[in-house]
Each structure stands twice: as C-alpha cells, then as structure tokens.
C-alpha cells in the first residue's frame, strides 16, 4: 500500500504491531526499503500500539536505508506512539513527523 | 494483607497465551479505573515481560511459565514467574539503533516499580503500577 510522490515513496501501515503480526511487518518493511525511491515515508497514522520487536524493525530499517543512501522517516505519529518513541529515544536518530504532509515537505525542503 | 486479592493467573505455553495475558491485564486495569492510555501501556508491559520469559524458556526448554495479577485498591501488580535465575533489570537510557533490547526499557518506563525475587528454581519478575488519579 504505497503512494508515489516522484522521489518519495509512502508506505502506510495501519495495524497495531503485536507478536501476532511482527513477522508480517518485518517482511513489509524489508520490501519497502528495497524500493528505488530515495526518500521513504512510513505512515503510522492508524497505529496506537507497537511492541519492542516492531520498534527494532523500524530502527533496523532506518539504518539499512541509510546504508543504501536513502532516508526513511516516520509520519503520522500521535499520542501513545509518540510516547513510546520518546521512551526509546527514536527522535535522536530518526526524523519523526506528526503528518505525512510534514514529512513530504521535509523532503522537498519546505 | 486482607485487601490483597489474587485476581487471575495464566500458564503460558504458546504465544497465543501471551495475547490472552495482554487482554487480562487490559481488562483488570480497566476495571480498576486506570485510564485507557495507562491500560494500553500496561498491555505493552505485559507483552514485553511475557516475550522475554517466553524466548528465554523456549531457548532453554523450560516452558511453560506463569503470569499472576494481584490488585490492591490503588495498585496493580503483574508477576511473571519462570524457571531460571535473576537477570539484569538495570535501567539504561541509551540510544539503541539495533533490532533488539528495548523490552525492559519500555517496561521500566511504563510501570512505577520493578523487582525480582528468586524462589528456588524460579525467578519472579514483579511489575507494580499505582493509580495516580
């Protein structure tokens, strides 16, 4: 489920991430970061819950993308997700945005 | 001690039991009057504690393990009892860019107090959360 904005590709994940779907999320992210687009946005607007395995997949995807000279950012971070990301200090090495539009503007330098 | 009530317990053998444990935490926390946000976070602490125990017990062929919930008026205690020895629960606020190692970090932030107790061949991991409203 992706939306193309020229060099930007957006992947929308809209389920809470628990032990039930961690593997599905891992595979989806592995596929997403192989995308030819240089700028990648993971939209988590509908997600309220993420376990540590899901957090690890995001961190690893960000670092893998970086090695491939791409940038993966996270958009649509609200309420509980924001607090979870704060606990694990994601903001110190991942760009986080409240909306997808904010993330797109970041890549367009606006 | 009279107002301490053991509300529930569950034996975890397969990963679907962990989902049940998460549901039980959320249900008890909600009944005790914790806010929806707190219930969600307690659910997360339960998943993380159970996954840590599950992975360890699976690797060492020591499944199943047990989860207990005890409630007092203002305090919920979630206890994970597994075979094995005490493990490190030191709080570490480091930036982790890797795949693993955030479970305990989440638990320690979510609950008010964590501690371990060794009882024979079992180690009990206690997570306490107080109502603050």
């Amino acid at each position: 489920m992706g939306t193309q904005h020229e060099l930007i590709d957006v992947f929308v994940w809209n389920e809470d991430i628990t032990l039930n779907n961690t593997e599905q999320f891992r595979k989806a992210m592995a596929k997403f970061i192989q995308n030819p687009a240089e700028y990648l946005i993971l939209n988590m607007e509908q997600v309220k819950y993420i376990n540590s395995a899901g957090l690890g997949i995001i961190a690893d995807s960000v670092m893998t993308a970086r090695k491939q000279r791409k940038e993966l950012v996270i958009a649509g971070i609200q309420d509980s997700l924001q607090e979870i990301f704060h606990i694990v200090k994601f903001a110190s090495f991942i760009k986080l945005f409240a909306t997808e539009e904010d993330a797109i503007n970041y890549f367009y330098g606006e | 001690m009279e107002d301490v009530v053991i509300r529930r317990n569950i034996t975890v053998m397969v990963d679907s039991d962990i989902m049940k444990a998460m549901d039980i935490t959320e249900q008890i926390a909600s009944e005790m009057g914790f806010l929806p946000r707190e219930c969600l976070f307690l659910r997360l602490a339960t998943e993380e504690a159970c996954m840590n125990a599950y992975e360890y017990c699976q690797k060492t062929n020591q499944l199943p393990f047990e989860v207990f919930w005890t409630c007092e008026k203002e305090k919920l205690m979630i206890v994970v009892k597994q075979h094995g020895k005490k493990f490190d629960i030191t709080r570490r606020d480091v930036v982790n860019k890797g795949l693993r190692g955030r479970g305990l970090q989440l638990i320690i932030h979510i609950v008010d107090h964590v501690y371990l107790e060794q009882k024979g061949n079992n180690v009990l991991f206690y997570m306490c959360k107080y109502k603050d409203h």
Side-chain angles (χ1 to χ4, degrees):
Chain A
M1 188 192 273
T3 319
Q4 295 280 349
H5 298 270
E6 298 172 7
L7 290 173
I8 303 172
D9 194 26
V10 180
F11 174 59
V12 181
W13 181 269
N14 54 19
E15 286 176 67
D16 287 346
I17 299 165
T18 70
L19 70 157
N20 271 349
N21 60 1
T22 304
E23 189 53 23
Q24 194 188 341
F25 181 60
R26 189 190 64 75
K27 285 179 182 167
M29 286 302 292
K31 190 176 171 190
F32 178 52
I33 60 169
Q34 292 311 315
N35 192 294
E38 192 177 342
Y39 304 124
L40 304 168
I41 300 171
L42 170 63
N43 183 332
M44 302 187 79
E45 205 173 81
Q46 301 297 316
V47 182
K48 290 186 169 54
Y49 179 105
I50 181 167
N51 60 14
S52 66
L55 293 167
I57 291 163
I58 291 175
D60 189 60
S61 300
V62 166
M63 300 312 289
T64 303
R66 220 166 268 178
K67 284 176 195 158
Q68 296 172 3
R69 297 178 181 278
K70 297 176 183 180
E71 185 171 5
L72 169 62
V73 303
I74 320 292
I77 300 158
Q78 314 283 344
D79 306 326
S80 53
L81 210 59
Q82 191 172 27
E83 197 169 338
I84 293 169
F85 284 3
H86 176 74
I87 293 169
V88 298
K89 303 183 184 300
F90 264 12
S92 65
F93 68 104
I94 305 173
K95 287 280 182 191
L96 307 172
F97 299 95
T99 67
E100 186 178 312
E101 191 184 357
D102 289 346
I104 291 167
N105 289 340
Y106 161 75
F107 283 132
Y108 283 137
E110 291 170 13
Chain B
M1 291 295 286
E2 284 176 1
D3 58 349
V4 179
V5 181
I6 295 177
R7 290 281 297 261
R8 295 286 291 268
N9 70 291
I10 188 173
T11 300
V12 176
M13 190 66 204
V14 292
D15 55 7
S16 60
D17 294 327
I18 297 175
M19 292 302 290
K20 287 180 198 163
M22 292 157 64
D23 289 342
I24 292 169
T25 291
E26 198 163 7
Q27 184 196 344
I28 292 174
S30 177
E31 283 170 9
M32 287 180 69
F34 282 99
L35 299 171
R37 176 196 149 280
E38 294 172 315
C39 294
L40 184 87
F41 277 80
L42 286 165
R43 183 180 174 85
L44 179 57
T46 304
E47 178 175 358
E48 296 302 334
C50 287
M51 282 307 294
N52 285 347
Y54 186 72
E55 286 176 1
Y56 174 81
C57 292
Q58 198 177 39
K59 196 167 64 181
T60 55
N61 288 319
Q62 295 189 96
L63 281 167
F65 66 91
E66 292 173 83
V67 186
F68 303 91
W69 293 260
T70 64
C71 313
E72 294 171 35
K73 196 177 173 189
E74 300 292 323
K75 182 174 89 173
L76 170 62
M77 179 101 83
I78 306 164
V79 186
V80 177
K81 180 185 174 187
Q82 65 180 87
H83 293 291
K85 299 288 179 195
K86 282 187 181 180
F87 44 90
D88 185 11
I89 55 168
T90 311
R91 180 173 177 152
R92 289 189 184 88
D93 279 327
V94 294
V95 176
N96 174 359
K97 298 180 182 177
L99 259 175
R100 298 175 59 86
R102 295 179 184 83
L104 198 59
Q105 187 180 18
L106 289 170
I107 292 168
I108 289 170
H109 273 86
I110 291 167
V111 300
D112 296 308
H113 183 45
V114 294
Y115 63 95
L116 292 165
E117 194 176 23
Q118 187 77 46
K119 283 190 178 173
N121 291 327
N122 295 310
V123 61
L124 282 73
F125 179 51
Y126 294 83
M127 299 180 284
C128 307
K129 181 72 179 174
Y130 296 90
K131 278 169 69 180
D132 54 4
H133 50 86

